[in-house]
Amino acid sequence: MFGLTFEKLFLVAIIAGFVLGPQRLPGYAHRLGRAVRTLRHFVDSTRSTAEAEMGVPLRRSEWESLDLKQYDPRRIVADALRENDALRENDTGTPADPDLVAEAARVRPGQKYLITGPSSHPRRVLIESLPENDPRRIASETSTRENAC
């Protein structure tokens, strides 16, 4: 917190003890404790007031469970471009990327996820979430149909 370690705080306390003296140090320590309690009460009351007015709990655990990345503009634009590419594929009937065909050849029977991207940042893609005409999805469905027969 602010780069303050226990050692630094201890050093400040020793210097304060020398500067203030033994007579005034307990009074200042009492004032510091009162100020910290007042600040903590202020934060708690402000949080409860904000929760009451917004109707939304402001608990850290509940905020961490939300996926706030879905509101990232870069992600929204990337999803829109992917949908546009998928619509183009549907119109032409052929895949826009020959790499998809190469990935489709590596699909194993019963595989649920595709691992795409570089090895430094791999990305798991659920095969069922791919468009119906995606060659990777078609290959996985063909592989499972052949195994079922």
Side-chain angles (χ1 to χ4, degrees):
M1 181 176 110
F2 306 115
L4 294 177
T5 61
F6 181 73
E7 292 85 15
K8 291 178 185 176
L9 290 175
F10 186 68
L11 182 64
V12 168
I14 289 175
I15 293 173
F18 282 123
V19 171
L20 297 176
Q23 287 90 14
R24 291 186 285 168
L25 189 61
Y28 281 107
H30 187 276
R31 287 184 192 169
L32 179 65
R34 195 175 340 146
V36 169
R37 279 191 297 275
T38 303
L39 180 65
R40 188 176 294 162
H41 175 69
F42 172 73
V43 169
D44 289 340
S45 65
T46 304
R47 180 181 294 141
S48 63
T49 303
E51 286 177 353
E53 288 178 0
M54 290 190 313
V56 177
L58 299 176
R59 307 277 186 265
R60 178 178 283 283
S61 61
E62 293 175 9
W63 280 101
E64 288 174 351
S65 67
L66 293 174
D67 181 24
L68 297 178
K69 290 181 182 179
Q70 67 182 345
Y71 302 113
D72 182 18
R74 293 172 291 189
R75 185 174 180 179
I76 293 171
V77 170
D79 289 344
L81 291 174
R82 267 189 244 118
E83 288 176 10
N84 193 13
D85 288 343
L87 290 175
R88 252 190 248 139
E89 282 183 22
N90 287 339
D91 293 343
T92 61
T94 60
D97 189 6
D99 293 335
L100 294 179
V101 177
E103 283 184 15
R106 294 187 303 231
V107 173
R108 295 185 317 261
Q111 186 172 347
K112 293 184 180 182
Y113 293 96
L114 288 173
I115 309 298
T116 61
S119 61
S120 59
H121 298 288
R123 204 175 88 203
R124 285 178 34 165
V125 178
L126 185 64
I127 290 179
E128 294 175 358
S129 68
L130 296 173
E132 292 292 329
N133 66 339
D134 192 302
R136 298 171 294 184
R137 183 170 182 164
I138 294 170
S140 70
E141 290 173 354
T142 305
S143 299
T144 55
R145 278 191 218 131
E146 289 173 359
N147 291 340
C149 293

